[in-house]
Amino acid sequence: MFSTEPLRKHTISAAEQPVLNRLVGIRNQLAALKKDRGNYYRPNDIVGLYNDLLQQVWALHGVRTSEQHDNDAYKNRLDAVLDECFQLFSLFYLALGKNKEVPATYVQLVTIKQNFELLNDTGIYTDDDLEPFKVRLQEIRQLIDAEVSRDSDEPKPEVLLVSRRLRQCETELGLLEETTRVISDELMPVYEELVHIRRRLTALSVLAHAVAAPEAKELQRRLIAIDDMRVDDRFIDSMGSVAAGQTQVVGLLEESFERLHDVQAEGSAVPADMAPVYERLVEIRVQLDKLLLTSRWTLRETDLWSYQVQLHDIDGMRRNGQFHGSTGEPAPAQAQAALNFLLHKCYNLVYKLLSSSEPVAETLMPVHNQLRTLRRCLHEVKKYGGPLSARDLYPYQMKLSSIDNLRTDGKFLDDEGYIPEGQGVVMSLLNECYDLLYELMAAEVDE
């Protein structure tokens, strides 16, 4: 298990020990709930445990204040366990469809920060790559600000914790944006082209030499064309002046030539002692790619926890952003590129899976998925079906009616009679399906 922050070696005080014991107990209960695939998560169980966690946070705040350890830099094992608990609760809240509540944002902020750190390490990104993260951070900022404005007294502990994570991400984003902000508008297309080439070279580094060689040759031609644009080793703007952003663009150009040489050289990209890490990352990427295709039907958000743990373990093998071999020396540049490429790809897939989570409780997901499938079918029928009789439309009408009959007093209930999250989303889909069906029926009457 892990914390996403480096820990100083502070010991657990006697006053902190009861809090740690209770946090470990909460984490174990969450782990047991996560493993139970035979039952849906019960909101009362999760929220009850979460309230227990908040009590421990307040207790910890009191202890740290009395011991004068209440600054952000102070950390020990207790903080690692607390971070794990908040990440798990965040995933549980997503599974319950509580996407717009503060706890659900925590694990997304952790994943965004992981992506930012890798982008900073590699330096291979454009403003377009940052934009989705920027938009999501703005949404979370609005959510937090609204929560703070509702709290007339002291902010809730989860708000303080998420706010701290949010500030860290906003700071990282500002630093990443500053790197590209200094590049002139005239030089930006060249920079973006180099980023694309650099990414392709990184992707080629994980392929066999015979497969990578043809594309590498074409990338070489493009790099030479960009290099030929320089005058006395500098990029010049339309006014004949040295274009702003030379350091970033020239540095990326030279680095791309180096990676090109590595790709064109014979031999494996990853040395034998790094092969287990490489193979593990490839396996995780394949599993996450499959989840991305089937997530609507098979994914429980809490399933992502095991991938988070595995990726953090691999990330922890890096020192100063580099993987090291069995000799303690940094791995070759091509191996670094291949491993960092796969690690970033995996982190990005985890973020995409978190972002694609619908604000619908898992107990309501079967109905949600049926309605989405029915809506898609009705759209296809409307587009390609041609003239349809009442008999042709009868199966769709029956299916829609059977779903509608699941409601009690206008609500979809779970097996225990509770109203799960996501009623608005599901009702919107239901109404849209009815509208499409009525349009088709009206068209049949007209004809």
Side-chain angles (χ1 to χ4, degrees), residues 152-184:
S152 56
D153 301 322
E154 188 174 359
K156 297 174 183 176
E158 70 264 35
V159 173
L160 294 173
L161 193 66
V162 172
S163 294
R164 178 171 174 269
R165 282 282 179 197
L166 179 57
R167 288 194 302 273
Q168 291 173 343
C169 289
E170 288 171 337
T171 300
E172 293 261 4
L173 175 63
L175 293 173
L176 291 169
E177 287 182 321
E178 186 61 32
T179 300
T180 58
R181 192 176 292 125
V182 300
I183 301 173
S184 69

Side-chain angles (χ1 to χ4, degrees), residues 1-3 12-13 15-32 48-61 63-64 75-89 92 106 157-158 161 305:
M1 293 302 186
F2 64 90
S3 166
I12 306 291
S13 69
E16 288 178 325
Q17 192 62 49
V19 178
L20 175 61
N21 294 341
R22 183 59 193 134
L23 288 179
V24 171
I26 292 172
R27 185 186 65 185
N28 292 342
Q29 286 177 274
L30 291 174
L49 279 173
Y50 185 70
N51 289 333
D52 192 357
L53 175 72
L54 296 185
Q55 290 179 9
Q56 302 309 312
V57 172
W58 279 122
L60 176 62
H61 178 68
V63 170
R64 292 271 172 92
K75 293 187 179 299
N76 56 27
R77 179 171 172 252
L78 192 153
D79 296 274
V81 177
L82 181 62
D83 180 76
E84 292 167 18
C85 288
F86 265 102
Q87 288 198 55
L88 278 166
F89 272 116
F92 273 105
Y106 187 83
E158 70 264 35
L161 193 66
W305 176 245

Side-chain angles (χ1 to χ4, degrees), residues 139-403:
E139 293 171 349
I140 295 175
R141 169 57 67 192
Q142 291 175 358
L143 178 65
I144 295 299
D145 289 346
E147 189 70 25
V148 169
S149 66
R150 282 194 292 267
D151 290 334
S152 56
D153 301 322
E154 188 174 359
K156 297 174 183 176
E158 70 264 35
V159 173
L160 294 173
L161 193 66
V162 172
S163 294
R164 178 171 174 269
R165 282 282 179 197
L166 179 57
R167 288 194 302 273
Q168 291 173 343
C169 289
E170 288 171 337
T171 300
E172 293 261 4
L173 175 63
L175 293 173
L176 291 169
E177 287 182 321
E178 186 61 32
T179 300
T180 58
R181 192 176 292 125
V182 300
I183 301 173
S184 69
D185 292 341
E186 291 186 50
L187 204 50
M188 184 57 74
V190 177
Y191 174 78
E192 291 174 348
E193 170 76 356
L194 285 171
V195 167
H196 174 74
I197 292 172
R198 182 68 178 80
R199 280 193 183 136
R200 287 306 306 153
L201 289 170
T202 303
L204 292 178
S205 68
V206 302
L207 302 178
H209 180 266
V211 177
E215 186 176 350
K217 189 171 183 179
E218 170 59 20
L219 294 176
Q220 182 181 36
R221 184 192 64 77
R222 289 161 64 183
L223 284 174
I224 291 172
I226 292 173
D227 195 21
D228 288 343
M229 295 168 61
R230 292 198 285 174
V231 178
D232 295 330
D233 295 331
R234 295 182 178 184
F235 290 97
I236 306 300
D237 63 21
S238 57
M239 303 298 292
S241 303
V242 176
Q246 295 289 314
T247 301
Q248 288 80 359
V249 177
V250 173
L252 188 54
L253 176 62
E254 292 176 352
E255 186 181 332
S256 297
F257 272 119
E258 290 175 6
R259 295 292 81 77
L260 174 68
H261 174 76
D262 293 335
V263 170
Q264 290 178 325
E266 293 282 357
S268 174
V270 180
D273 58 345
M274 300 300 296
V277 179
Y278 172 79
E279 290 166 2
R280 190 175 169 194
L281 281 169
V282 169
E283 182 182 355
I284 293 172
R285 180 188 173 181
V286 169
Q287 292 171 352
L288 290 171
D289 273 326
K290 288 180 180 177
L291 277 178
L292 201 60
L293 292 173
T294 62
S295 59
R296 184 151 60 93
W297 299 276
T298 62
L299 178 68
R300 252 182 166 178
E301 282 78 0
T302 49
D303 295 339
L304 296 175
W305 176 245
S306 63
Y307 296 106
Q308 284 279 72
V309 173
Q310 292 179 70
L311 291 174
H312 188 270
D313 288 344
I314 294 172
D315 205 349
M317 296 176 184
R318 301 193 304 154
R319 297 197 297 275
N320 297 323
Q322 290 190 315
F323 287 94
H324 289 68
S326 55
T327 62
E329 294 296 318
Q334 191 179 2
Q336 299 285 351
L339 294 171
N340 280 316
F341 167 76
L342 287 170
L343 181 60
H344 184 227
K345 193 72 175 176
C346 290
Y347 273 140
N348 204 32
L349 286 169
V350 170
Y351 177 72
K352 285 183 179 179
L353 286 164
L354 289 171
S355 301
S356 66
S357 175
E358 295 275 2
V360 178
E362 61 172 353
T363 53
L364 207 51
M365 283 306 291
V367 174
H368 177 266
N369 290 338
Q370 288 179 61
L371 285 170
R372 283 189 58 167
T373 301
L374 183 58
R375 180 183 63 178
R376 186 170 65 250
C377 290
L378 290 170
H379 273 299
E380 292 297 311
V381 169
K382 181 180 177 181
K383 188 175 182 180
Y384 301 111
L388 296 171
S389 66
R391 177 176 293 181
D392 294 326
L393 296 173
Y394 183 71
Y396 302 105
Q397 191 173 6
M398 285 296 295
K399 181 61 180 177
L400 197 54
S401 179
S402 69
I403 294 174

